[in-house]
């Protein structure tokens, strides 16, 4: 387990933001069933994610700020460029595999790509942003875009149904696009049946598989797909995105505070935006650096640095004295622990010369010296 892993799991964040999710986490959504042809059995649970579905999810900041054009997807430049070219040159593979950590843009990019393939594109390869078809797509009711969550459709019958439906030509769009999320959930017989479909898809169909666990996918399925590995997004790119969102939403917050949020998000744009949403909900339009520190459970206790120093200097006596003092003060040990681990991690990165990735503020940098 990494140092940050220890820090994260050892504390209940004040903001009640779950960043570590169980590996089968599915984002909040309103799954519903729909059929792509009249009279077809509605066994498949089509996922409409948050598109067009009311209250809670629709109003979260990360949904509001889900990119609608390639240009707005941040931190995945090589992938975006390649997909744009594919759209512009109309050179397509039958199946794509988007892999990578949660919240890095797999679903978002898949939807933009699908729209461009189905509904046409401009000179940059971007799909239209306003038309009846776009609205239907965004509302999850376009009949030629089929988004399914493999976690709830992994049975052999579901996959057979998909294989049958795929032969119906698109009703309105140029192509039919199948987005299969959590694709690693398709296992055993269902995976074999799915492989058949992938091997001989009709010319009008394009598959996009998304997964956080590409290693769990059958290798024969993987090798059928053109693969794109989404990366964790760098702190400075996250900060720029948060800055853009904060300005548009009328939130006042300084760069150091945004950097704290971005670092806490460990490369996930969704987590970064969610954290901003949470501090915004708690503190209103003017968010101070201290409010963020406090909200994240990172308020600096000077003794955390002392303990980290003692540990690094192998000074047992000094270390035990700090622990005793902290215990006497009834400090919340989980949070304290988290701070110590943070300082240790920063010190290690500093020693190895890798601290530029931390994007430390000046006072933080000085504390490491
Ligand atoms: N690369 C990105 N650029 C901009 N926003 C992003 C990016 N990745 C994620 N987001 C934000 O996070 C939300 C969830 O992203 P999503 O594409 O569903 O992630 P994934 O499918 O990789 O888990 C989006 O609505 C968007 O607000
Ligand atoms: Mg996703």
């Amino acid at each position: 387990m990494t140092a940050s892993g220890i820090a994260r799991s050892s504390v209940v964040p004040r903001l009640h933001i779950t960043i570590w999710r169980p590996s089968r986490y599915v984002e909040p959504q309103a799954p519903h069933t729909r059929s792509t042809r009249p009279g077809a059995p509605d066994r498949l649970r089509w996922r409409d994610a948050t598109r067009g579905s009311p209250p809670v999810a629709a109003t979260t900041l990360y949904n509001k700020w889900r990119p609608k054009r390639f240009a707005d997807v941040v931190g995945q430049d090589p992938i975006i460029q390649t997909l744009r070219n594919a759209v512009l040159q109309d050179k397509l593979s039958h199946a794509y595999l988007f892999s990578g950590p949660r919240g890095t843009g797999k679903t978002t990019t898949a939807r933009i790509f699908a729209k461009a393939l189905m509904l046409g594109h401009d000179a940059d390869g971007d799909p239209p942003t306003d038309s009846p078809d776009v609205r239907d797509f965004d509302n999850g009711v376009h009949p030629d875009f089929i988004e399914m969550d493999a976690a709830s459709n992994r049975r052999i019958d579901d996959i057979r149904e998909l294989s049958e439906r795929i032969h119906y030509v698109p009703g309105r769009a140029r192509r039919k696009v199948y987005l299969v999320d959590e694709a690693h959930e398709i296992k055993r017989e269902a995976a074999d049946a799915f492989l058949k479909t992938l091997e001989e898809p009709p010319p009008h169909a394009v598959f996009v598989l998304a997964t956080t666990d590409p290693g769990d996918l059958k290798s024969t399925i993987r090798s059928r797909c053109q693969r794109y590995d989404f990366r964790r997004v760098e702190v400075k790119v996250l900060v720029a995105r948060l800055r853009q969102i904060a300005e548009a939403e009328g939130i006042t917050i300084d760069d150091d505070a945004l950097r704290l949020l971005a670092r806490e998000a460990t490369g996930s744009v969704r987590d970064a935006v969610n954290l901003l949403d949470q501090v915004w909900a708690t503190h209103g339009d003017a968010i101070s650096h201290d409010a963020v520190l406090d909200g994240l459970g990172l308020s600096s206790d000077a003794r955390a640095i002392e303990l980290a120093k003692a540990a690094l200097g192998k000074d047992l006596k000094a270390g035990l004295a700090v622990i005793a003092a902290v215990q006497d003060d009834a400090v919340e040990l989980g949070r304290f622990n988290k701070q110590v681990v943070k300082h240790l991690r920063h010190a290690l990165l500093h020693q190895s010369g890798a601290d530029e990735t931390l994007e430390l503020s000046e006072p933080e940098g000085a504390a490491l010296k």
Side-chain angles (χ1 to χ4, degrees):
M1 186 184 274
T2 61
S4 64
I6 294 167
R8 211 174 286 289
S9 57
S10 63
V11 82
V12 180
R14 284 271 290 282
L15 293 170
H16 307 292
I17 300 158
T18 321
I19 296 197
W20 272 164
R21 301 196 178 87
S23 67
R24 298 295 174 248
Y25 174 85
V26 177
E27 77 182 56
Q29 58 189 282
H32 66 247
T33 53
R34 73 175 162 93
S35 150
T36 52
R37 65 190 150 100
D42 263 337
R43 268 199 315 258
L44 296 187
R45 276 156 53 78
W46 304 105
R47 155 149 142 175
D48 91 343
T50 47
R51 294 168 299 146
S53 47
V56 190
T59 53
T60 56
L61 212 48
Y62 80 76
N63 270 318
K64 181 171 173 193
W65 284 86
R66 188 187 284 281
K68 296 266 197 269
R69 300 175 316 142
F70 284 128
D72 297 326
V73 177
V74 302
Q76 311 294 356
D77 299 355
I79 295 177
I80 297 301
Q81 194 51 49
T82 313
L83 293 178
R84 274 188 202 277
N85 289 342
V87 169
L88 288 170
Q89 296 164 8
D90 207 31
K91 270 199 183 152
L92 298 175
S93 165
H94 274 302
Y96 295 80
L97 174 60
F98 291 0
S99 66
R102 285 181 182 73
T104 52
K106 300 180 297 298
T107 303
T108 304
T109 306
R111 288 186 190 159
I112 298 171
F113 185 49
K115 259 192 247 185
L117 297 183
M118 291 166 54
L119 310 178
H121 57 83
D122 64 14
D124 293 325
D126 273 312
T129 48
D130 195 29
S131 75
D133 276 330
V134 169
R135 275 192 293 282
D136 279 356
F137 186 107
D138 289 344
N139 289 329
V141 295
H142 197 295
D144 298 324
F145 178 60
I146 298 92
E147 179 168 342
M148 72 184 261
D149 181 356
S152 40
N153 294 288
R154 56 183 145 178
R155 295 170 313 135
I156 178 88
D157 286 349
D158 296 333
I159 301 299
R160 279 209 194 104
E161 196 179 328
L162 183 148
S163 316
E164 281 166 26
R165 285 173 182 226
I166 200 169
H167 293 286
Y168 291 87
V169 292
R172 278 159 55 185
R174 298 177 186 183
R175 293 190 180 83
K176 270 173 120 155
V177 179
Y178 286 79
L179 170 54
V180 183
D181 226 329
E182 311 280 338
H184 58 272
E185 293 281 359
I186 305 175
K187 304 242 163 80
R188 292 180 287 275
E189 306 94 331
D192 293 334
F194 187 58
L195 183 63
K196 271 225 170 94
T197 310
L198 272 188
E199 275 170 340
E200 295 159 7
H204 59 252
V206 174
F207 277 96
V208 183
L209 278 54
T211 178
T212 45
D213 300 299
D216 281 2
L217 212 60
K218 236 176 136 67
S219 60
T220 39
I221 292 184
R222 260 199 326 258
S223 64
R224 287 272 146 208
C225 301
Q226 219 175 75
R227 178 161 166 186
Y228 294 85
D229 291 331
F230 284 66
R231 316 178 69 103
R232 289 186 188 279
V233 176
E234 277 177 74
V235 169
K236 68 169 185 272
V237 177
L238 289 177
V239 169
R241 179 68 173 170
L242 291 178
R243 166 66 52 220
Q244 182 192 7
I245 294 175
E247 271 169 19
E249 298 289 344
I251 304 170
T252 317
I253 180 168
D254 68 28
D255 270 353
D256 279 347
L258 287 183
R259 211 169 283 134
L260 287 173
L261 296 176
R263 262 194 250 144
E264 188 73 9
T266 58
S268 161
V269 188
R270 173 174 33 217
D271 285 348
V273 176
N274 247 340
L275 285 165
L276 178 65
D277 205 359
Q278 300 280 337
V279 276
W280 189 25
T282 318
H283 297 280
D285 288 343
I287 303 168
S288 70
H289 191 251
D290 282 349
V292 173
L293 276 175
D294 203 42
L296 296 176
L298 294 172
S299 306
S300 282
D301 184 326
R303 288 172 302 191
I305 293 189
E306 267 178 59
L307 183 54
K309 275 189 179 155
L312 289 171
K314 298 198 173 72
D315 186 344
L316 186 60
K317 195 172 155 206
L320 288 173
V322 174
I323 292 172
V326 166
Q327 263 176 337
D328 282 351
D329 279 0
V331 167
E332 194 196 311
L333 287 180
R335 283 178 70 177
F336 184 76
N337 196 9
K338 185 173 178 176
Q339 291 167 34
V340 175
V341 174
K342 181 188 82 168
H343 293 307
L344 285 173
R345 177 169 165 264
H346 288 184
L348 288 176
L349 286 169
H350 184 64
Q351 277 171 15
S352 62
D355 50 341
E356 72 277 10
T357 58
L358 283 173
E359 302 269 325
L360 294 177
S361 67
E362 269 178 33
E364 288 169 315
L368 283 180
K369 301 269 149 62

